[in-house]
Amino acid sequence: MAGNGFYDVVIIGAGPGGLSAGIYSMRAAMNTVLLEKSFPGGQVVTSNEVENYLGFEHINGADLADRFYKHALSYDLEIIDSEVSVLEPGNEFHTVRIADKGIIRTHSVIMATGGSPRKLNIPGEEEYYGKGVSYCAVCDGFFFRDKTVVVVGGGDSAAEEALYLAKLARQVYIVHRRDELRASRILQQRIHAEKKIKILWSSVVTAINADEDGVSSVDLKDTGTGEQDVLKTDGVFIFIGFKPNSELAPAGIKLSAQGYVMTDEKCETRIPGIFAVGDLREKYARQIVSAAADGCTAALAAAHYVEKKKAGSR
Ligand code: NAP
């Protein structure tokens, strides 16, 4: 660990927001460390196609994440494979407790911990996870070649993943609780043009059933009439949004009703020197490009904060 365990900037999370913050922080000559508990790249890694990141008309999510990672490493950003257990704010410095590597003291912290897939919380979902229930089409779609799958949700993720699954599966059913999709127009057009995809409107999955081979069917309910039905399927892919990973946010930080971290335009929280970026932050659009932009904003603001602090004027 560089800097005797004392840093100017500690970044938690190596998604697009965290890695972008790392690049800007290194360019600002801040003594910086990035802590990541699993793999670099964040949710982008699980995306099959990325078509809306500036400069790339079309790129695989894992390839884009790899480029982000290598770009950050090219600035000699220190990246430590560690899980942060507690973030303790302080007046002089903030303390980051790492599960197995002690503590780090820092002038500033950029939280970039992203979000996790939301669960339906229905019978069978947890029980048959990995036996036909999945939250990642790129990871598990391969197992459903020429099979039938159900995709739950009506947003961009559900639409994109349904299109990906349609390349592999025999039949894809999108089960959506309303009568119109939330997904962007371009994705809606592609969904409607894909013959293998059928949308079951105004319907919810109320239970996932399985036999000895794994998932075998889902119980459906019509949200209008209350009518119930059973649909045979080999797999269930759930894309009903994300919940922010805001567990580390200290008590003084304000969260939205949904648990997103509230920040100002500098991505700074109510605690001076603690910033939040990317999908963790309360904001209008949650995109790769906006996460990267947050990383830039927070790192520049953190550098300014640290310089003022060192100069004794803050
Ligand atoms: P989302 O936009 O929040 O959509 C979640 C979908 O799941 C909605 O259609 C919602 O229905 C449905 N839903 C929520 N809770 C449900 C429940 N309990 N039962 C059944 N259905 C439920 O989430 P997302 O698609 O994961 O996208 C998250 C963010 O990432 C969005 O800002 C999105 O634009 C962005 N994203 C962008 C791209 C891209 O630009 N290519 C790709 C992926 C994600 P309602 O519509 O009725 O609320």
Side-chain angles (χ1 to χ4, degrees):
M1 201 180 285
N4 299 322
F6 201 113
Y7 287 87
D8 293 328
V9 182
V10 170
I11 302 165
I12 308 173
L19 289 170
S20 166
I23 289 169
Y24 275 88
S25 190
M26 293 302 285
R27 286 172 64 89
M30 294 286 112
N31 180 19
T32 308
V33 65
L34 188 153
L35 309 168
E36 168 58 57
K37 69 173 177 179
S38 53
F39 49 85
Q43 289 161 47
V44 181
V45 173
T46 63
S47 266
N48 178 47
E49 320 262 13
V50 176
E51 296 179 339
N52 52 7
Y53 189 76
L54 193 67
F56 294 90
E57 286 171 31
H58 179 96
I59 185 165
N60 173 270
D63 291 343
L64 185 60
D66 192 49
R67 282 173 184 256
F68 290 160
Y69 180 58
K70 287 185 176 143
H71 194 175
L73 289 182
S74 75
Y75 282 95
D76 293 328
L77 173 66
E78 185 184 5
I79 300 182
I80 300 181
D81 178 12
S82 277
E83 178 160 7
V84 173
S85 51
V86 182
L87 168 56
E88 291 169 5
N91 287 331
E92 287 302 305
F93 51 79
H94 304 304
T95 303
V96 179
R97 291 191 185 277
I98 308 181
D100 54 354
K101 293 191 179 73
I103 60 168
I104 294 177
R105 293 189 176 89
T106 179
H107 285 306
S108 68
V109 176
I110 299 176
M111 296 188 292
T113 47
S116 304
R118 286 183 59 207
K119 308 273 165 70
L120 279 169
N121 295 319
I122 55 169
E125 182 179 17
E126 199 179 335
E127 201 178 345
Y128 304 125
Y129 172 65
K131 296 172 186 158
V133 175
S134 172
Y135 302 90
C136 175
V138 176
C139 318
D140 300 323
F142 180 75
F143 300 109
F144 297 90
R145 275 169 305 161
D146 297 323
K147 295 191 172 178
T148 299
V149 295
V150 163
V151 169
V152 185
D156 283 332
S157 298
E160 276 191 350
E161 306 301 314
L163 287 164
Y164 175 73
L165 287 165
K167 290 185 200 154
L168 302 162
R170 186 178 63 238
Q171 173 76 58
V172 178
Y173 292 101
I174 295 180
V175 177
H176 183 40
R177 64 183 179 183
R178 287 188 297 131
D179 59 1
E180 63 173 336
L181 295 174
R182 181 181 291 277
S184 62
R185 290 280 164 216
I186 189 162
L187 287 173
Q188 291 193 34
Q189 284 163 7
R190 288 184 198 166
I191 290 282
H192 294 308
E194 173 53 64
K195 289 191 171 53
K196 280 193 196 169
I197 297 178
K198 183 171 181 207
I199 306 179
L200 305 180
W201 298 109
S202 306
S203 298
V204 288
V205 174
T206 54
I208 300 169
N209 313 305
D211 57 23
E212 61 279 4
D213 295 326
V215 165
S216 57
S217 69
V218 290
D219 293 351
L220 295 176
K221 191 167 113 183
D222 187 302
T223 52
T225 62
E227 207 175 299
Q228 302 196 9
D229 202 357
V230 176
L231 178 68
K232 281 192 175 173
T233 185
D234 302 297
V236 183
F237 287 81
I238 300 164
F239 303 107
I240 58 164
F242 285 86
K243 61 175 183 56
N245 295 329
S246 50
E247 296 81 6
L248 282 179
I253 285 179
K254 191 174 178 212
L255 302 180
S256 72
Q258 289 76 34
Y260 291 97
V261 175
M262 307 296 288
T263 64
D264 61 16
E265 86 258 339
K266 290 184 293 179
C267 294
E268 194 167 17
T269 67
R270 280 215 297 220
I271 301 177
I274 299 188
F275 300 80
V277 301
D279 285 2
L280 173 69
R281 186 168 88 83
E282 173 64 30
K283 59 180 178 176
Y284 178 67
R286 294 200 169 78
Q287 301 284 311
I288 305 169
V289 72
S290 56
D294 282 356
C296 156
T297 303
L300 293 179
H304 185 67
Y305 169 86
V306 171
E307 277 159 7
K308 279 179 86 176
K309 198 154 195 266
K310 284 182 176 173
S313 59
R314 182 152 184 159

